[in-house]
Amino acid sequence: MRKYIVMFIAALCLASVAYAADSQIWGEMRIQNILGYGQEESWKLGPLFTMLQHKYFAWIFLGVLIGVPAAFFIHYKIIGPKVFPHSEKKYYAFNLYNRIIHQVAAVSFLVIIPTGFIIIFGDFFGGGTFVRMAKNLHGIFTIPFTIVVIPMALMWLKEALFNMDDVKWFMILGGYLSKEKKPILAGKFNAGQKMWYWVAILGGITMILSGAFMYFLDFKMQMLHNLTGMSQIDLLRAAAIIHNVMGFAVLALFITHVYMSMFAIKGAVHSIITGYVEEEELKILHSTWYKKLKDQGKF
């Protein structure tokens, strides 16, 4: 059954990309209503949007882009990574379906985030063809993420619910400020992974919806207009503000996720490629889950 689900997702991705590439939303039809946008302003978000766009958004994104990796560089140099043998017993934690869904989302983010930066700093890159190409790639690679975000949310929802172990994890920041290997209370996902799950899922869905508003400029949402009383131009401004604010959190947590899986825990990234997690890694970093698996005779 899962094989057919994977095949369906792959076919849907390819069909969506083909449709988007041929769609008129990329052409002149996108701006056919723009001349009328400024004729009415309900919430008068123009000054707020202009101030945020010109004075704050780009600088905050730049601060996150430089500041978060800099903090992790210092952590790597002072504390260093946690290294596990990866030659001991292993547990098959992530099946093929889990891995494909995760990898589609990962590849999507690896394109969406850099192209988002090119769009934000379009003036710096001189505008033109390069920035337009980044904008189109940004939109196209949102399609596969849109397809997998709900399956990803459902398959890991139970493991992503917070509990008392997470409170204790946050109190010691998961033990990452210590070079010692002491067992840390955590289930299949620790508190940091759970936080990334909720930011990626809820933030991702929010950015999909707000991004769709900005891509489909001339698609009027009468229901939202009636519900909020907002004009088309203010709906677009609100979407842009929400998209940027959520982008700060998604970017910061994505960099954190990459650092933890590729640098802070040596070899951890292989678990989502092969599906196997090393025993000592579970014993130290996910001790609650390890005890449960051991009680079940898995180790």
Side-chain angles (χ1 to χ4, degrees):
M1 179 65 181
R2 283 175 179 164
K3 180 178 76 172
Y4 294 108
I5 293 174
V6 170
M7 291 173 63
F8 173 74
I9 291 173
L12 196 55
C13 285
L14 291 172
S16 300
V17 170
Y19 171 78
D22 191 51
S23 173
Q24 294 187 64
I25 66 168
W26 309 107
E28 294 179 0
M29 286 187 66
R30 294 185 73 241
I31 58 173
Q32 66 180 354
N33 293 325
I34 279 183
L35 292 177
Y37 283 177
Q39 302 304 312
E40 55 175 339
E41 289 191 81
S42 47
W43 285 18
K44 299 188 182 299
L45 292 179
L48 174 64
F49 171 74
T50 302
M51 178 190 67
L52 293 173
Q53 188 74 12
H54 288 280
K55 293 185 178 181
Y56 295 102
F57 283 158
W59 287 108
I60 294 174
F61 273 116
L62 190 62
V64 173
L65 181 64
I66 296 173
V68 176
F72 289 139
F73 178 78
I74 294 170
H75 174 273
Y76 191 86
K77 288 297 182 180
I78 296 176
I79 306 297
K82 292 190 183 298
V83 181
F84 299 99
H86 291 276
S87 59
E88 305 295 328
K89 292 180 181 179
K90 297 183 180 182
Y91 174 67
Y92 188 60
F94 304 107
N95 60 36
L96 181 61
Y97 176 74
N98 297 153
R99 302 197 310 271
I100 289 176
I101 293 293
H102 182 275
Q103 287 162 18
V104 169
V107 170
S108 299
F109 270 112
L110 287 172
V111 176
I112 289 170
I113 288 177
T115 53
F117 266 94
I118 294 171
I119 295 168
I120 292 164
F121 297 99
D123 288 344
F124 175 81
F125 290 104
T129 302
F130 178 65
V131 176
R132 283 197 298 272
M133 181 180 69
K135 180 205 69 174
N136 291 341
L137 286 172
H138 193 78
I140 289 171
F141 275 84
T142 300
I143 296 170
F145 178 71
T146 302
I147 293 169
V148 301
V149 66
I150 298 302
M152 186 165 61
L154 295 175
M155 74 183 186
W156 283 331
L157 176 62
K158 183 179 177 181
E159 288 85 359
L161 298 176
F162 288 96
N163 55 44
M164 287 307 297
D165 280 356
D166 301 315
V167 175
K168 297 172 184 176
W169 189 96
F170 276 121
M171 290 175 67
I172 60 171
L173 290 180
Y176 290 111
L177 297 182
S178 170
K179 295 182 179 182
E180 294 182 87
K181 288 184 180 180
K182 291 183 177 180
I184 306 296
L185 292 175
K188 187 172 184 177
F189 291 165
N190 62 39
Q193 291 169 319
K194 291 177 181 181
M195 188 165 60
W196 167 236
Y197 168 92
W198 290 108
V199 169
I201 298 300
L202 299 182
I205 291 173
T206 301
M207 294 188 77
I208 288 168
L209 296 175
S210 57
F213 267 99
M214 293 183 284
Y215 264 81
F216 297 91
L217 292 174
D218 58 352
F219 185 74
K220 290 197 172 184
M221 293 292 291
Q222 194 61 41
M223 181 180 71
L224 275 179
H225 174 73
N226 294 338
L227 185 65
T228 64
M230 296 175 69
S231 63
Q232 181 77 356
I233 187 63
D234 274 349
L235 281 171
L236 290 171
R237 287 167 176 156
I241 292 170
I242 292 169
H243 198 80
N244 279 277
V245 171
M246 287 306 310
F248 304 149
V250 170
L251 174 63
L253 269 294
F254 177 74
I255 295 173
T256 303
H257 188 60
V258 171
Y259 173 72
M260 290 296 171
S261 61
M262 297 189 69
F263 300 100
I265 309 167
K266 289 291 186 181
V269 70
H270 295 297
S271 65
I272 205 62
I273 298 173
T274 66
Y276 289 92
V277 183
E278 198 272 334
E279 182 176 9
E280 189 185 4
E281 185 177 323
L282 288 182
K283 186 177 181 180
I284 299 299
L285 300 180
H286 302 268
S287 65
T288 303
W289 186 32
Y290 177 74
K291 184 178 182 302
K292 181 179 178 182
L293 291 174
K294 199 165 184 180
D295 290 342
Q296 294 173 351
K298 301 294 176 64
F299 285 108

